[in-house]
Amino acid sequence: MTAVSVVELEGVRIRLGGRTILEDISMTVNEGEFIVMLGPNGAGKSTLLKTLLGLIKPSAGMVRVLGRPARRGNKDIGYAPQHRTLEADLALRARDVVGFGLDGNHWGVGLPNPKRKGLIDDVLREVDALNLANVPVGQLSGGEQQRLLIAQALLTNPRLLLLDEPLANLDISREGEIVALVTRVCRDRNVAVMLVSHDINPLLPVVDRVLYMANGHSALGTSDEVVTSQSLSQLYGSPVEVVQALNRLFVVGAET
Ligand SMILES: Nc1ncnc2c1ncn2[C@@H]1O[C@H](COP(=O)(O)OP(=O)(O)O)[C@@H](O)[C@H]1O
Ligand SMILES: [Mg+2]
């Protein structure tokens, strides 16, 4: 049986504002894989996700999602953007905000109300937030809001889930809950997940592979292969030390 490639990049170069952000990225992501994306600020992690969404066009190379060129409004992709705060929506109920996931690409417009409600209830249940359905978003914690964003991204039953820094600003136990939730969703739905994080440690026990981005280039492999002094020094083009202590990995010398 041949595995379906969910993402295929070949020689992708991205230029923004006259600067080359990504030089030459090639990689393949398989069905149901859980990938964590790491790298310093400005490495192009968010840019890469937007490229998969068809929002940014490469100046060279090939981008395919499920065998087809990247395109806007692809409902095979669920996306929770970085820095997405629900501030504009604070007065809305959780279920209304989640429902935007159906309207964003006009897919849900015109769905009969009971069907719509059923779909929203299903994803709320899946992220353990059904009890929050009618609560105004402004009354929810950061972790609860993050659950809603994940629910919203799941509404169209995607094959690829892009989560841009879903662990930012969460305390350690909320962080653990979101990691557990995403892991469960990934395994139960066999959906490929690409999750951007600034820390690999909460994800080390659960991810399949690590995509490390720096200097316009990337390294993809298991954490044992990629998160090593040798591999990261090569990627950065300068000495980087990976130190293991207290059961955690620390990357030293990478951020300038
Ligand atoms: N629309 C844009 N125009 C010009 N430069 C951009 C644009 N968007 C992002 N950049 C630049 O591209 C680089 C990569 O940004 P980003 O993908 O957000 O990095 P990351 O998510 O890894 O922190 C940064 O230097 C950023 O300033
Ligand atoms: Mg980013």
Side-chain angles (χ1 to χ4, degrees), residues 132-152:
L132 307 175
N134 297 317
V135 178
V137 165
Q139 294 176 18
L140 301 179
S141 69
E144 288 167 339
Q145 292 193 12
Q146 195 56 55
R147 278 170 197 280
L148 298 186
L149 293 175
I150 293 169
Q152 193 185 61

Side-chain angles (χ1 to χ4, degrees), residues 41-42 44-47 82-83 164-165 196:
N41 282 334
K45 304 179 297 294
S46 298
T47 298
Q82 186 177 10
H83 303 312
D164 202 344
E165 304 216 13
V196 179

